[in-house]
Amino acid sequence: MHILITNDDGVYSPGIAALAQVATRFGEVRVVAPDVEMSSASHSITASRPVTVKRTPLPGLEAYRVNGTPSDCVMLGTTLWEKTDLVLSGINIGTNLGNALWHSGTLAGAKQAALLGLRGIAFSAPATDREQPDFEALRPWAATVLQALLDNPQPCLVNVNFPSEPPRGTLWTRQSMRHYDGKVVPGEDPMGRKHYWFTVIPVEATEEGTDRWAIEQGYVSMTPLRLDLTDAEMLARVQKVESWKKLKFA
Ligand code: MN
C-alpha cells in the first residue's frame, strides 16, 4: 500500500512525523506537507500563483514541503505519486471537532483525497497553549485505530480525534453542531489602530453521541463524513413548494 501523509501544521510538526512513523508499518510512506503552518486554511487551493515541491530531510522518511495548503499537498502528492492508495492527515496539534470541521486544514487533506476517489483519514489530538500532545503516547493509539480502519473497506472519509488520556475505546460519532464556538475579539495595535482576532470560546454543554462528547468521555472519536452537502430533506420540501414552480423570468 502507498500512503501519502499530509497535515496543516507544516512539514516540521512532530505530529506528522509521529503519523508517518506509524504509517510505515502499513505500507510505503511519502510525506507531502505545507512548508509553514496552514491551520484553519480549510479546503483552499492556491490558484493565484504556482507552487513548488522541495525535498525535505525528515529522519527515516521521504518527505517534501510545498508552499501551499493541505489540499494543494494532496493534489500535488497524488499527481506526482500516482500509486497513492490512502491519504492520512495529521496528527494535528489540537482537536478538530464540531464546527471546526468547516475550518480545519487537517480534515481538508483527507477531504481532498476523498474528492479524488481515495480514502482519507484525518487525525487530531488535544493541545493547549502550553502543552502539545504527547506524540510518543499517541503513536500506539494511532496504530490501533489505523489497523482497525484498514481492516474494513469503509468508511472512505473519517475524522479521528484522540482523547487527552489513554483511550477507553473507540466510538463512532456524529459531528457536534449545536454550538458555534467562533468569536471575534477586538484589540488595538501600538499605534492605536483597531484590529481583530478570530478566536474560539470554550463550548460547555456537549451532546451525547457527538465527537466532542466522545473525547470528553475518554474515547477515540471517529466520525464518518461525506462530501455531498445537500440537505436532502430540505430539497424534497422545497421542490414541492408551488410558488417556486410558478416563478417566471420575464
Ligand atoms: Mn493545525
Side-chain angles (χ1 to χ4, degrees):
M1 186 164 41
H2 298 93
I3 308 170
L4 183 74
I5 314 273
T6 195
N7 75 349
D8 76 353
D9 293 333
V11 74
Y12 302 108
S13 166
I16 200 167
L19 183 57
Q21 282 152 7
V22 167
T24 52
R25 300 186 212 168
F26 299 89
E28 199 182 314
V29 167
R30 194 176 286 196
V31 173
V32 181
D35 57 355
V36 293
E37 187 180 344
M38 281 285 164
S39 292
S40 299
S42 186
H43 209 132
S44 57
I45 55 160
T46 304
S48 57
R49 59 170 174 83
V51 297
T52 57
V53 184
K54 289 179 181 155
R55 185 107 201 223
T56 298
L58 285 187
L61 296 165
E62 191 183 347
Y64 302 85
R65 65 186 190 273
V66 172
N67 57 344
T69 66
S71 317
D72 292 341
C73 292
V74 173
M75 272 303 280
L76 260 174
T78 53
T79 302
L80 300 176
W81 198 31
E82 289 170 21
K83 295 182 285 186
T84 306
D85 301 300
L86 167 71
V87 176
L88 306 179
S89 186
I91 301 171
N92 189 58
I93 300 175
T95 55
N96 277 299
L97 303 163
N99 53 61
L101 301 201
W102 289 100
H103 308 297
S104 170
T106 305
L107 177 61
K111 276 195 299 181
Q112 184 61 45
L115 280 176
L116 295 167
L118 298 167
R119 201 168 189 196
I121 306 169
F123 293 90
S124 305
T128 62
D129 286 346
R130 292 198 198 104
E131 236 174 299
Q132 289 204 350
D134 178 354
F135 290 110
E136 251 338 282
L138 276 166
R139 263 165 32 178
W141 310 350
T144 303
V145 171
L146 191 53
Q147 178 71 66
L149 285 170
L150 295 181
D151 283 345
N152 296 283
Q154 285 192 319
C156 179
L157 178 60
V158 189
N159 184 43
V160 178
N161 280 272
F162 293 103
S164 42
E165 302 297 322
R168 295 164 64 187
T170 58
L171 280 179
W172 287 104
T173 58
R174 67 178 193 279
Q175 184 184 7
S176 156
M177 284 305 293
R178 189 186 280 175
H179 308 273
Y180 182 65
D181 64 351
K183 186 189 178 185
V184 174
V185 175
E188 212 176 70
D189 76 5
M191 316 290 197
R193 294 171 298 202
K194 223 170 189 182
H195 61 209
Y196 300 89
W197 279 102
F198 291 99
T199 183
V200 291
I201 44 168
V203 174
E204 280 138 28
T206 55
E207 295 163 277
E208 195 171 330
T210 61
D211 48 10
R212 201 180 295 279
W213 177 83
I215 74 156
E216 277 178 14
Q217 302 299 313
Y219 290 92
V220 178
S221 166
M222 303 192 298
T223 308
L225 298 170
R226 63 175 181 189
L227 298 173
D228 182 355
L229 299 177
T230 312
D231 182 341
E233 219 174 279
M234 182 56 72
L235 176 63
R237 202 182 304 167
V238 290
Q239 278 175 334
K240 284 187 206 129
V241 175
E242 286 306 316
S243 62
W244 285 111
K245 293 182 193 163
K246 286 180 197 145
L247 197 62
K248 293 268 188 298
F249 294 92

